[in-house]
Amino acid sequence: MAVSLGVEFADIYDYQSQIVMSYRARKPSTSGSDIKSQEECGIYDLRTFRSKYLHFHFPCVKKSSGTCDMPTADEVLRYGTRYDYKYKDDVISKETRNIKSKLYTACIKDKFINGTYESYYYWGGEDLSFRFPSGEEKMPVYVEQKGEYYENGKTHDHYLFKNIPWYQKNPPFSDDMFQVPQSMYCKSYTNLHAIPAMPNSFSFSQEEVAFTLNDTGFLDGGFLPLSFKQFWYSDDLKLVRVDMRPSEEDKNGPILKEATGINGRVSVLMDFNYDHVFLAHSANDECLILKADKDFFLCSEEDEKCNKINREGLFGISANLSYKGKYAESGIYGETWSQLIKDQTDQPQKKTFLIRHEVSFRQSQVKEKTNTYKKLFTPIQVADYKEEITTSKEKDNSNFKQDVRLKNYYEVNFTQPGVEVYEKHPCLQHHNSKLYTLKFEGPGIADTNKARFLPELRRAIKNVCNPETMLRFELVDLRSPEWISEKIVYLRILDPFDGSGISTEKLASNITELVNNEEFAVCFVGFTITLEEKLMQWIAINGSFVEQKPETTVTTPSSKNRNNNKIQKCPA
């Protein structure tokens, strides 16, 4: 790093990521309105980096893998016993700033630049009236190199000189010392340090706020809360639910614009396999079942039929993001990526717009089924800074303001959300349905196996009935009313949501047929009475799938109906 005439030059080497961040910025470098300085930061591949600003760069110690290892201090300074320096003379000159110094010289064969040169090191400081921070009395006062290097089959002159005004051994370090100014945008010239994969399943809360800064850097009008959203997304079932207090922009957007009088919470449920959206809001208990709109903010832009979520849009990811550094957002340290967009208008006044889009997240590791770990990102914040500079044609002065919009993320979880999150949606709870019971016989206790059994039962029902959407089924509860070995499932079958849906009677008939033919069983890894994990098979009892009408009670089939000879054992 170097500072000259109020301009800061820095090259930051990250050997773990194999990148170099090089920038030039005016001091103070925190200015967010310096458009010119925004263009003077770049991210480069460490293996091929050549500094534009600082001549004394760090060499790449190549390993067999083709990556760069971190050089030693001697390799960086081209000094030490390996370079065979020899004492030449005592010197006091303008080069040493009249500091009494000892001159050491060596002929250096520099493999890092493929060159040969004479190196002159002036060490001094004994006659100074102060000591350096770590207590040492000597320091390199001046360094000079003269020679040549070879590049692209040609010989080039090599000349470097450097005054060293300050020197400290083993200085303290912190992450903040190795970051570019937070207001700066750095363009990436390398594919290294890619964004980790986004999660397949997740739940989180998102708060969106906005505010404006005037040309003095103070708030203009205070903070404005825009929206609050809670997301649940289950990739296996292709279900997503969003409960929110929408912003005015959301209310006028796809899907929500179909509802009337929204003034409170809104709940949106989508089944990407069904291509429909369920919308309910608290203002008038209205429930709408709408065709999925591909312009809705949850739909992937790549899919015309909206059959998967737009993760990139949801987390603020775009193709033009460049890595920026590690910063604390809301008190949480994470990695930040940014994108810069410039625009300009001339009518009626000249306006220059600079939009900086930033995404901050933490890396985390999630264990997969193969016992391997996959790196995922945990979102912290998405920020958009829109800077506007208005210049009057009649006057030389200009006005500046910055509009800021922040999305903060909380309660992030990568596990599959429970199906009950989707089944308890207001639209489904108020929809006409019929209640059924189905009895099973098998080992273990109902309460300790409910969480593992019900998802497998849902898959079994899907294979048997193949409904247009599994939201037609709600698994209400699992109980053991009399015997430990006997379990009873309470489930609702909802009426079709449109004219093309399969009738409730047909779905119930499919289940009844398999149960009465003694061919309906569910396999899962459950817990025994002693809480040991074991592969289990619960078998549906013949004649036990019964509709429960208000005037009926749950009946128990007689023991003579319990026949499971046709059921095959679960595969190991």
Side-chain angles (χ1 to χ4, degrees), residues 7 98 149 170 264 319 321 394 418 466 480 483 516 523 560:
V7 179
N98 293 322
Y149 67 95
N170 302 319
L321 285 175
E394 293 79 15
N466 193 26
S480 290
W483 300 284
N516 292 345
C523 297
K560 66 180 181 180

Side-chain angles (χ1 to χ4, degrees), residues 421-434:
V421 171
Y422 311 102
E423 293 177 341
K424 301 301 181 183
H425 189 267
C427 276
L428 305 183
Q429 291 295 300
H430 297 156
H431 199 71
N432 292 333
S433 63
K434 293 181 179 180

Side-chain angles (χ1 to χ4, degrees), residues 99-100 102 123-129 132 137-139:
I99 299 173
K100 184 179 179 180
K102 294 183 181 297
W123 282 81
E126 292 180 350
D127 57 338
L128 295 178
S129 60
F132 296 98
E137 297 179 354
K138 294 182 180 181
M139 64 172 282

Side-chain angles (χ1 to χ4, degrees), residues 33 75 79 136 138 142 147 161 171 186 255 282 303 328 335 356 369 375 440 471 494 535 537 550:
S33 59
E75 289 173 330
Y79 190 82
E136 63 273 9
K138 294 182 180 181
Y142 178 73
F161 69 92
C186 298
I255 304 298
S282 58
D303 291 321
E335 295 184 300
R356 196 170 76 251
K369 294 180 180 179
K375 286 187 176 181
F440 288 86
L471 294 174
L494 279 66
L535 180 62
Q537 184 179 56

Side-chain angles (χ1 to χ4, degrees), residues 326-368:
K326 295 181 180 179
Y327 305 94
E329 301 291 352
S330 303
I332 303 173
Y333 267 95
E335 295 184 300
T336 298
W337 299 71
S338 64
Q339 176 186 5
L340 191 70
I341 303 171
K342 289 200 303 182
D343 195 10
Q344 186 170 300
T345 61
D346 293 324
Q347 298 295 334
Q349 294 177 316
K350 183 178 179 180
K351 290 186 178 182
T352 302
F353 298 96
L354 185 69
I355 302 173
R356 196 170 76 251
H357 176 72
E358 294 188 350
V359 180
S360 299
F361 57 86
R362 287 184 300 172
Q363 283 195 18
S364 59
Q365 289 187 333
V366 176
K367 190 174 183 180
E368 297 186 312

Side-chain angles (χ1 to χ4, degrees), residues 223-327:
F223 288 91
L224 178 64
L226 297 180
S227 67
F228 182 82
K229 299 182 176 76
Q230 291 176 286
F231 289 81
W232 296 269
Y233 180 63
S234 176
D235 183 62
D236 286 354
L237 300 174
K238 293 291 184 183
L239 297 174
V240 61
R241 175 172 174 172
V242 188
D243 290 355
M244 56 181 155
R245 288 189 176 91
S247 65
E248 292 301 319
E249 182 180 350
D250 293 330
K251 293 178 184 179
N252 297 322
I255 304 298
L256 267 63
K257 66 182 179 182
E258 304 297 333
T260 57
I262 294 178
N263 60 7
R265 292 186 67 88
V266 177
S267 185
V268 176
L269 175 63
M270 292 180 65
D271 180 351
F272 288 95
N273 296 319
Y274 183 45
D275 200 29
H276 278 68
V277 179
F278 300 84
L279 187 152
H281 64 94
S282 58
N284 54 15
D285 289 333
E286 180 182 28
C287 177
L288 300 177
I289 302 175
L290 308 167
K291 289 286 289 183
D293 189 330
K294 68 182 182 67
D295 293 327
F296 190 46
F297 70 96
L298 288 174
C299 295
S300 173
E301 296 178 355
E302 301 174 357
D303 291 321
E304 295 182 1
K305 295 184 178 180
C306 188
N307 57 20
K308 68 176 182 179
I309 200 168
N310 180 11
R311 291 184 182 88
E312 290 77 11
L314 197 60
F315 296 115
I317 305 297
S318 66
N320 296 321
L321 285 175
S322 292
Y323 179 71
K324 183 175 178 181
K326 295 181 180 179
Y327 305 94

Side-chain angles (χ1 to χ4, degrees), residues 12 14 17 19-23 41-43 175-188 193 321-329 332-339 358-363 380-381:
I12 302 172
D14 185 341
S17 302
I19 62 173
V20 181
M21 304 184 73
S22 179
Y23 72 86
C41 179
I43 304 171
D175 285 343
D176 294 336
M177 298 170 61
F178 296 91
Q179 310 304 325
V180 300
Q182 194 161 3
S183 64
M184 181 170 281
Y185 165 77
C186 298
K187 184 177 180 181
S188 181
H193 209 102
L321 285 175
S322 292
Y323 179 71
K324 183 175 178 181
K326 295 181 180 179
Y327 305 94
E329 301 291 352
I332 303 173
Y333 267 95
E335 295 184 300
T336 298
W337 299 71
S338 64
Q339 176 186 5
E358 294 188 350
V359 180
S360 299
F361 57 86
R362 287 184 300 172
Q363 283 195 18
I380 299 174
Q381 185 182 86

